[in-house]
Amino acid sequence: MNMKSQNFRKSAELLGAICGGLIISLPIIPQAIAQQSVGQESTPKINPCPRIFYEEPHNSRVVVPQGCPPNALTQKLAAQGLIPTSATPSQEQTRLGVGGESPETGVTPPRPAPGDQTQQPSPGAVSTDQPQLLQPRQTPSATIALANGKVNVRLVNDTAANVTFQVIGDTAPRSLAGKSDVTLQGLTAPVTVTFERQDSGQLIVTPQASSEPGNLEVRFSEATNAAQGRSAMRIERNGSVFLN
């Protein structure tokens, strides 16, 4: 009888110890979850459309990402059909302050001027593919044979001024010094390349197909008037090269 009483007492003590441990640990779990939640909320969000995109010189030299309000260069290329028009900003971009550092800064990005014919596509219609060129009405400036859909473009700057160039959707703006050259390798057609003299002068752009498939040479020379100037080149999937 005494043995059974001792066993019952030990079982009761063991059960009491387990229940007590659970009661002590319960307040710790919500506290740990709350601390983790606070740590996550304090992580800063990166603004996808910083204000610098709308300030010179970036305003006229850099294409803004999809979803950001268009700056001057983006509007110009979209009007020429070289890139798609910008999509409506997402709720997350709007909350972060599209076109500025944050909603509290009060900075309003540039808006299309009255009479601008650039149209905004409906949400969800944005494509992640290379921008499609509108049906060209001009004769190609050159035609090349692509190599498995890819092309190497050698840019030759015959002017004395630096030239800023950018492969849309692929590279950031880069500078090509006067009397120098650079080769852009493995570009997938269709592809758009923009260029601009840093001294605000005009460029005559001359594309020349190479005898070797998948290679194109583009030479920059000084233009004497604005009508001669070109600021963008488009290479289509069929190898046609258009200048604008």
Side-chain angles (χ1 to χ4, degrees):
M1 191 69 176
N2 291 334
M3 183 65 68
K4 291 182 179 181
S5 299
Q6 292 177 358
N7 289 339
F8 178 78
R9 184 180 304 110
K10 290 181 179 180
S11 298
E13 291 174 353
L14 179 60
L15 180 61
I18 294 175
C19 293
L22 290 175
I23 294 173
I24 293 173
S25 62
L26 284 176
I28 299 176
I29 297 175
Q31 183 178 2
I33 296 176
Q35 291 176 350
Q36 182 179 5
S37 175
V38 170
Q40 293 176 347
E41 292 177 356
S42 62
T43 302
K45 298 290 186 179
I46 298 176
N47 182 12
C49 309
R51 182 173 54 191
I52 193 173
F53 284 164
Y54 307 95
E55 299 175 349
E56 295 299 341
H58 299 80
N59 183 48
S60 58
R61 294 181 180 177
V62 178
V63 175
V64 301
Q66 284 286 351
C68 295
N71 60 7
L73 178 60
T74 306
Q75 291 181 45
K76 177 181 177 181
L77 296 180
Q80 295 175 350
L82 294 173
I83 60 174
T85 53
S86 299
T88 302
S90 64
Q91 293 182 354
E92 179 67 10
Q93 289 173 326
T94 302
R95 188 181 71 80
L96 291 174
V98 176
E101 299 304 328
S102 67
E104 290 77 17
T105 59
V107 176
T108 302
R111 299 189 179 187
D116 191 348
Q117 299 301 314
T118 302
Q119 297 180 352
Q120 301 291 336
S122 58
V126 181
S127 172
T128 57
D129 296 333
Q130 282 283 346
Q132 297 295 319
L133 181 67
L134 297 179
Q135 185 64 33
R137 297 181 180 180
Q138 75 227 58
T139 302
S141 299
T143 302
I144 64 172
L146 300 180
N148 297 321
K150 295 185 179 297
V151 58
N152 299 324
V153 179
R154 180 171 178 254
L155 303 178
V156 182
N157 184 5
D158 290 330
T159 74
N162 292 350
V163 172
T164 299
F165 67 93
Q166 179 181 11
V167 181
I168 302 302
D170 192 0
T171 69
R174 299 176 181 177
S175 181
L176 177 62
K179 306 301 180 180
S180 65
D181 64 87
V182 65
T183 299
L184 308 175
Q185 297 183 340
L187 302 182
T188 301
V191 62
T192 300
V193 183
T194 62
F195 24 79
E196 179 187 24
R197 278 176 55 174
Q198 293 183 3
D199 61 359
S200 300
Q202 300 294 324
L203 287 173
I204 294 178
V205 182
T206 307
Q208 179 67 47
S210 171
S211 58
E212 184 178 352
N215 287 276
L216 177 69
E217 182 179 273
V218 180
R219 304 192 77 93
F220 301 138
S221 57
E222 297 181 1
T224 57
N225 58 68
Q228 295 177 312
R230 296 293 182 265
S231 61
M233 176 183 68
R234 175 76 171 182
I235 305 174
E236 293 292 349
R237 288 190 177 92
N238 61 4
S240 297
V241 180
F242 295 94
L243 297 176
N244 285 279

